Amino acid sequence: MRSRDLISVFLLAAAVVCIAHPSMARHRPKAVSDTNDDPCAAPQDYVRQRINKIKALQAAAPATNSNLFDLLGGKKDVDPQKSVEISNLRYEADGVNALLAAGGCQAFNLDQELLQSSK
């Protein structure tokens, strides 16, 4: 009887090891890539992408001196969809830029960056 108990324990232990081995592979630490070394890189890239999108939208918009009253008055040379999109992009860029500054990363001067495109 004792040998049967030992064989049962051995088979149970072998089964646990065989079953646990593939699941152990999922819990191994992953290699950290070089881009994760700088915590400021991803947010800075995000803000840079928003600045570039705003510049592209501003370049595609007609050059006018239109304002909110022109937009509400139904003036044809004002594209409300582009205005809203530019506003949303600027809002996102301002938010992430504030987080960059709060986190000790180098923040962008968004006004200066956007003025450079119009020159």
Side-chain angles (χ1 to χ4, degrees), residues 68-86:
L68 181 61
F69 296 112
D70 294 335
L71 179 64
L72 294 175
K75 202 168 185 190
K76 298 291 182 195
D77 60 350
V78 177
D79 188 357
Q81 187 176 8
K82 283 184 182 177
S83 297
V84 169
E85 191 172 354
I86 288 171

mmCIF file of all heavy atoms in Angstrom, residues 68-86:
data_model
loop_
_atom_site.group_PDB
_atom_site.id
_atom_site.type_symbol
_atom_site.label_atom_id
_atom_site.label_comp_id
_atom_site.label_asym_id
_atom_site.label_seq_id
_atom_site.Cartn_x
_atom_site.Cartn_y
_atom_site.Cartn_z
ATOM 1 N N LEU A 68 -15.581 84.398 -34.446
ATOM 2 C CA LEU A 68 -16.750 83.660 -34.007
ATOM 3 C C LEU A 68 -18.033 84.209 -34.618
ATOM 4 O O LEU A 68 -18.933 83.461 -34.985
ATOM 5 C CB LEU A 68 -16.836 83.688 -32.473
ATOM 6 C CG LEU A 68 -17.992 82.938 -31.834
ATOM 7 C CD1 LEU A 68 -17.917 81.465 -32.173
ATOM 8 C CD2 LEU A 68 -17.972 83.126 -30.328
ATOM 9 N N PHE A 69 -18.111 85.521 -34.779
ATOM 10 C CA PHE A 69 -19.311 86.121 -35.353
ATOM 11 C C PHE A 69 -19.487 85.712 -36.817
ATOM 12 O O PHE A 69 -20.611 85.513 -37.282
ATOM 13 C CB PHE A 69 -19.277 87.644 -35.208
ATOM 14 C CG PHE A 69 -19.300 88.080 -33.779
ATOM 15 C CD1 PHE A 69 -18.194 88.694 -33.201
ATOM 16 C CD2 PHE A 69 -20.424 87.866 -32.996
ATOM 17 C CE1 PHE A 69 -18.214 89.093 -31.885
ATOM 18 C CE2 PHE A 69 -20.457 88.265 -31.670
ATOM 19 C CZ PHE A 69 -19.345 88.883 -31.107
ATOM 20 N N ASP A 70 -18.380 85.589 -37.536
ATOM 21 C CA ASP A 70 -18.462 85.132 -38.917
ATOM 22 C C ASP A 70 -18.941 83.684 -38.973
ATOM 23 O O ASP A 70 -19.731 83.313 -39.838
ATOM 24 C CB ASP A 70 -17.112 85.247 -39.612
ATOM 25 C CG ASP A 70 -16.670 86.688 -39.776
ATOM 26 O OD1 ASP A 70 -17.549 87.576 -39.804
ATOM 27 O OD2 ASP A 70 -15.451 86.921 -39.871
ATOM 28 N N LEU A 71 -18.449 82.894 -38.051
ATOM 29 C CA LEU A 71 -18.833 81.487 -37.994
ATOM 30 C C LEU A 71 -20.327 81.361 -37.702
ATOM 31 O O LEU A 71 -21.046 80.612 -38.352
ATOM 32 C CB LEU A 71 -18.017 80.757 -36.929
ATOM 33 C CG LEU A 71 -18.308 79.278 -36.707
ATOM 34 C CD1 LEU A 71 -17.982 78.490 -37.958
ATOM 35 C CD2 LEU A 71 -17.488 78.764 -35.542
ATOM 36 N N LEU A 72 -20.802 82.127 -36.726
ATOM 37 C CA LEU A 72 -22.219 82.075 -36.373
ATOM 38 C C LEU A 72 -23.095 82.734 -37.430
ATOM 39 O O LEU A 72 -24.254 82.364 -37.591
ATOM 40 C CB LEU A 72 -22.447 82.745 -35.009
ATOM 41 C CG LEU A 72 -21.809 82.042 -33.815
ATOM 42 C CD1 LEU A 72 -22.003 82.854 -32.554
ATOM 43 C CD2 LEU A 72 -22.352 80.641 -33.646
ATOM 44 N N GLY A 73 -22.541 83.671 -38.147
ATOM 45 C CA GLY A 73 -23.291 84.352 -39.195
ATOM 46 C C GLY A 73 -23.421 83.550 -40.464
ATOM 47 O O GLY A 73 -24.103 83.953 -41.397
ATOM 48 N N GLY A 74 -22.762 82.413 -40.542
ATOM 49 C CA GLY A 74 -22.873 81.544 -41.703
ATOM 50 C C GLY A 74 -21.974 81.922 -42.850
ATOM 51 O O GLY A 74 -22.257 81.609 -43.999
ATOM 52 N N LYS A 75 -20.875 82.599 -42.572
ATOM 53 C CA LYS A 75 -19.942 82.979 -43.632
ATOM 54 C C LYS A 75 -19.374 81.707 -44.274
ATOM 55 O O LYS A 75 -19.023 80.754 -43.590
ATOM 56 C CB LYS A 75 -18.836 83.841 -43.019
ATOM 57 C CG LYS A 75 -18.130 84.703 -44.011
ATOM 58 C CD LYS A 75 -17.269 85.715 -43.322
ATOM 59 C CE LYS A 75 -16.676 86.642 -44.342
ATOM 60 N NZ LYS A 75 -15.671 87.484 -43.763
ATOM 61 N N LYS A 76 -19.260 81.682 -45.580
ATOM 62 C CA LYS A 76 -18.904 80.476 -46.321
ATOM 63 C C LYS A 76 -17.435 80.079 -46.221
ATOM 64 O O LYS A 76 -17.097 78.919 -46.371
ATOM 65 C CB LYS A 76 -19.262 80.648 -47.795
ATOM 66 C CG LYS A 76 -20.720 80.840 -48.039
ATOM 67 C CD LYS A 76 -21.477 79.581 -47.744
ATOM 68 C CE LYS A 76 -22.947 79.783 -48.053
ATOM 69 N NZ LYS A 76 -23.788 78.781 -47.495
ATOM 70 N N ASP A 77 -16.531 81.020 -45.997
ATOM 71 C CA ASP A 77 -15.114 80.681 -46.003
ATOM 72 C C ASP A 77 -14.628 80.158 -44.647
ATOM 73 O O ASP A 77 -13.444 79.914 -44.474
ATOM 74 C CB ASP A 77 -14.259 81.857 -46.458
ATOM 75 C CG ASP A 77 -14.425 83.072 -45.559
ATOM 76 O OD1 ASP A 77 -15.330 83.059 -44.712
ATOM 77 O OD2 ASP A 77 -13.645 84.032 -45.727
ATOM 78 N N VAL A 78 -15.522 79.968 -43.705
ATOM 79 C CA VAL A 78 -15.159 79.420 -42.404
ATOM 80 C C VAL A 78 -15.616 77.972 -42.359
ATOM 81 O O VAL A 78 -16.780 77.683 -42.607
ATOM 82 C CB VAL A 78 -15.822 80.223 -41.259
ATOM 83 C CG1 VAL A 78 -15.497 79.616 -39.921
ATOM 84 C CG2 VAL A 78 -15.373 81.664 -41.314
ATOM 85 N N ASP A 79 -14.688 77.070 -42.094
ATOM 86 C CA ASP A 79 -15.024 75.651 -41.996
ATOM 87 C C ASP A 79 -15.205 75.305 -40.522
ATOM 88 O O ASP A 79 -14.220 75.174 -39.796
ATOM 89 C CB ASP A 79 -13.928 74.808 -42.624
ATOM 90 C CG ASP A 79 -14.304 73.341 -42.717
ATOM 91 O OD1 ASP A 79 -15.395 72.963 -42.241
ATOM 92 O OD2 ASP A 79 -13.501 72.563 -43.268
ATOM 93 N N PRO A 80 -16.439 75.172 -40.050
ATOM 94 C CA PRO A 80 -16.665 74.926 -38.627
ATOM 95 C C PRO A 80 -16.093 73.594 -38.156
ATOM 96 O O PRO A 80 -15.639 73.478 -37.026
ATOM 97 C CB PRO A 80 -18.181 74.949 -38.478
ATOM 98 C CG PRO A 80 -18.738 74.778 -39.836
ATOM 99 C CD PRO A 80 -17.692 75.260 -40.785
ATOM 100 N N GLN A 81 -16.069 72.605 -39.035
ATOM 101 C CA GLN A 81 -15.546 71.305 -38.642
ATOM 102 C C GLN A 81 -14.041 71.386 -38.363
ATOM 103 O O GLN A 81 -13.556 70.835 -37.389
ATOM 104 C CB GLN A 81 -15.837 70.267 -39.721
ATOM 105 C CG GLN A 81 -15.480 68.852 -39.305
ATOM 106 C CD GLN A 81 -15.883 67.830 -40.357
ATOM 107 O OE1 GLN A 81 -16.292 68.193 -41.453
ATOM 108 N NE2 GLN A 81 -15.772 66.570 -40.013
ATOM 109 N N LYS A 82 -13.329 72.104 -39.224
ATOM 110 C CA LYS A 82 -11.886 72.267 -39.001
ATOM 111 C C LYS A 82 -11.617 73.103 -37.764
ATOM 112 O O LYS A 82 -10.682 72.829 -37.012
ATOM 113 C CB LYS A 82 -11.219 72.903 -40.220
ATOM 114 C CG LYS A 82 -11.013 71.950 -41.354
ATOM 115 C CD LYS A 82 -10.257 72.589 -42.489
ATOM 116 C CE LYS A 82 -10.123 71.617 -43.635
ATOM 117 N NZ LYS A 82 -9.448 72.213 -44.782
ATOM 118 N N SER A 83 -12.445 74.104 -37.531
ATOM 119 C CA SER A 83 -12.271 74.935 -36.341
ATOM 120 C C SER A 83 -12.456 74.121 -35.074
ATOM 121 O O SER A 83 -11.691 74.251 -34.117
ATOM 122 C CB SER A 83 -13.260 76.094 -36.349
ATOM 123 O OG SER A 83 -13.028 76.930 -37.444
ATOM 124 N N VAL A 84 -13.449 73.268 -35.072
ATOM 125 C CA VAL A 84 -13.701 72.411 -33.908
ATOM 126 C C VAL A 84 -12.562 71.417 -33.733
ATOM 127 O O VAL A 84 -12.098 71.170 -32.614
ATOM 128 C CB VAL A 84 -15.063 71.692 -34.052
ATOM 129 C CG1 VAL A 84 -15.226 70.605 -33.010
ATOM 130 C CG2 VAL A 84 -16.199 72.690 -33.963
ATOM 131 N N GLU A 85 -12.097 70.851 -34.836
ATOM 132 C CA GLU A 85 -11.009 69.881 -34.755
ATOM 133 C C GLU A 85 -9.721 70.532 -34.247
ATOM 134 O O GLU A 85 -9.012 69.961 -33.420
ATOM 135 C CB GLU A 85 -10.782 69.222 -36.116
ATOM 136 C CG GLU A 85 -9.853 68.039 -36.057
ATOM 137 C CD GLU A 85 -9.780 67.275 -37.363
ATOM 138 O OE1 GLU A 85 -10.545 67.589 -38.296
ATOM 139 O OE2 GLU A 85 -8.942 66.373 -37.446
ATOM 140 N N ILE A 86 -9.425 71.730 -34.729
ATOM 141 C CA ILE A 86 -8.246 72.461 -34.253
ATOM 142 C C ILE A 86 -8.381 72.755 -32.764
ATOM 143 O O ILE A 86 -7.433 72.596 -31.988
ATOM 144 C CB ILE A 86 -8.035 73.755 -35.065
ATOM 145 C CG1 ILE A 86 -7.550 73.414 -36.475
ATOM 146 C CG2 ILE A 86 -7.046 74.684 -34.369
ATOM 147 C CD1 ILE A 86 -7.517 74.602 -37.418
#
